[in-house]
Amino acid sequence: MAAASVRLLPPVGTDLNQPCVVRDVIDRIGDRWSLLVLGHLAESSLRFNAMHRKIGDISKQVLSRTLRHLEEDGFISRTVHQSTPPQVEYALTEMGVSFLQPLKAVLDWADAHHDAITQSRDKFARRY
C-alpha cells in the first residue's frame, strides 16, 4: 500500500482554528505514563500504591495527575472504598477496555520494529 493512499490529515476545508480531535486525544494518551498505567490496569484493577510500586520510577504526584487525566477522559474509573484509611481503586472503564485492541496493535508494531529503529538511530548518530 502506498503511503499516499492513507489519509491521515483532516479533509480540505476543515476549520484548523478548532481543536484537533486527534491531537487532543493523542496528547493525553501519548504522554510518558498513560499507556503504562492503562497497560497495568488491563491486567487488573489496582489501588494507588500498588500502581506506584508496579511502575516504580514515577513520582506519586505525576501518577496522581495521570490517573486524574485518564479518569477525566473516561478511560478509567476511581472507586473509593469506605475503610480506615479510605482505599481508592482504579479500573478500566468500557471505553478503556475498548482502547486495549488499538493499543496492542501499536505495542506489537513497536516490538516488531524496535531493532530497526535502534539501528536507524545509531546510523543517524554516526552521521553527526
Side-chain angles (χ1 to χ4, degrees):
M1 168 170 47
S5 68
V6 177
R7 179 101 182 129
L8 298 175
L9 299 175
V12 175
T14 299
D15 182 358
L16 299 178
N17 292 318
Q18 295 299 313
C20 175
V21 176
V22 173
R23 190 172 52 237
D24 182 45
V25 173
I26 296 299
D27 283 350
R28 188 60 66 89
I29 59 167
D31 68 13
R32 183 172 179 182
W33 301 107
S34 292
L35 295 180
L36 195 55
V37 167
L38 292 171
H40 283 295
L41 290 175
E43 296 173 356
S44 68
S45 60
L46 292 167
R47 295 197 321 249
F48 183 90
N49 285 328
M51 174 76 69
H52 188 255
R53 281 190 302 276
K54 281 185 173 280
I55 295 176
D57 61 344
I58 187 172
S59 73
K60 288 186 175 189
Q61 180 182 13
V62 171
L63 177 57
S64 179
R65 185 178 335 124
T66 301
L67 290 166
R68 190 169 42 255
H69 287 161
L70 290 169
E71 181 185 10
E72 176 185 8
D73 287 352
F75 286 92
I76 65 172
S77 62
R78 178 180 184 270
T79 304
V80 179
H81 298 283
Q82 298 304 320
S83 60
T84 306
Q87 293 183 353
V88 179
E89 185 175 62
Y90 296 90
L92 292 177
T93 61
E94 187 175 323
M95 185 171 67
V97 170
S98 76
F99 181 65
L100 295 179
Q101 185 173 358
L103 174 58
K104 181 163 179 5
V106 170
L107 296 176
D108 288 347
W109 183 92
D111 186 48
H113 293 86
H114 187 256
D115 289 342
I117 292 168
T118 301
Q119 290 170 9
S120 182
R121 288 176 183 164
D122 291 344
K123 182 178 175 183
F124 183 84
R126 286 191 301 274
R127 287 182 20 209
Y128 295 98

